[in-house]
């Protein structure tokens, strides 16, 4: 798997001051925005966790475009769906940030992803148009 791309430094700084982020997704009917919890690694990688039945998850199946906005800072790019193995290096951070969503242990997060109840995404800045 390629090395994750870092978010712009100004957006990283804005995210470090927040608990949630606004994300946009799109499909043929238009664009939608939603507030989400997120996990931001010290090296600037952004993870999103969402229920599989959410509109944004369904939109990202056919169009991985995303816009991430925190205050005035924003970036467009794409999301890539991950397994827990793909994000193993960042597992402690994911458990800390997504514990209230049911991912309190590595086993619980693995079950959420393996069962298909939730999807874990990594944001790749750039390439979104």
């Amino acid at each position: 798997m390629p090395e994750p791309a870092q978010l712009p430094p100004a957006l990283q700084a804005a995210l470090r001051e927040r608990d949630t982020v606004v994300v946009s997704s799109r499909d043929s009917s238009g664009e939608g925005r939603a507030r989400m919890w997120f996990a931001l690694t010290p090296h600037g990688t952004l993870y999103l966790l969402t229920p599989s039945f959410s509109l944004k998850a369904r939109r990202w199946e056919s169009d991985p475009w995303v816009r991430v906005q925190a205050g005035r800072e924003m970036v467009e790019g794409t999301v890539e769906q991950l397994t827990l193995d793909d994000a193993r290096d960042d597992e402690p951070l994911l458990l800390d940030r997504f514990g209230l969503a049911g991912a309190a242990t590595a086993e619980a997060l693995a079950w959420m992803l393996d069962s298909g109840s939730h999807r874990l995404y990594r944001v790749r800045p750039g390439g979104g148009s």
Side-chain angles (χ1 to χ4, degrees):
M1 182 159 288
E3 189 68 24
Q6 293 184 356
L7 295 177
L11 181 57
Q12 289 183 49
L15 288 172
R16 284 184 172 65
E17 298 176 2
R18 292 174 165 71
D19 289 326
T20 62
V21 65
V22 176
V23 297
S24 298
S25 59
R26 66 184 179 195
D27 62 16
S28 60
S29 66
E31 187 179 308
R33 296 169 26 129
R35 189 165 293 282
M36 295 181 69
W37 285 337
F38 63 91
L40 179 65
T41 69
H43 51 274
T45 301
L46 182 66
Y47 291 99
L48 304 171
L49 180 73
T50 190
S52 296
F53 60 82
S54 70
L55 181 56
K56 60 190 160 296
R58 293 194 320 254
R59 283 178 164 161
W60 287 333
E61 284 177 16
S62 60
D63 183 354
W65 175 84
V66 67
R67 180 183 302 121
V68 176
Q69 183 174 357
R72 291 187 218 172
E73 299 300 326
M74 72 174 65
V75 69
E76 289 187 7
T78 57
V79 292
E80 60 180 324
Q81 187 175 342
L82 305 173
T83 66
L84 186 53
D85 284 339
D86 297 330
R88 192 65 69 186
D89 291 345
D90 296 318
E91 181 181 296
L93 175 68
L94 298 177
L95 297 177
D96 179 58
R97 293 292 295 163
F98 298 138
L100 291 177
T105 65
E107 294 79 13
L109 180 55
W111 179 87
M112 291 167 70
L113 300 177
D114 292 346
S115 73
S117 71
H118 286 72
R119 295 182 188 167
L120 178 66
Y121 295 97
R122 180 169 43 212
V123 174
R124 290 195 163 284
S129 54

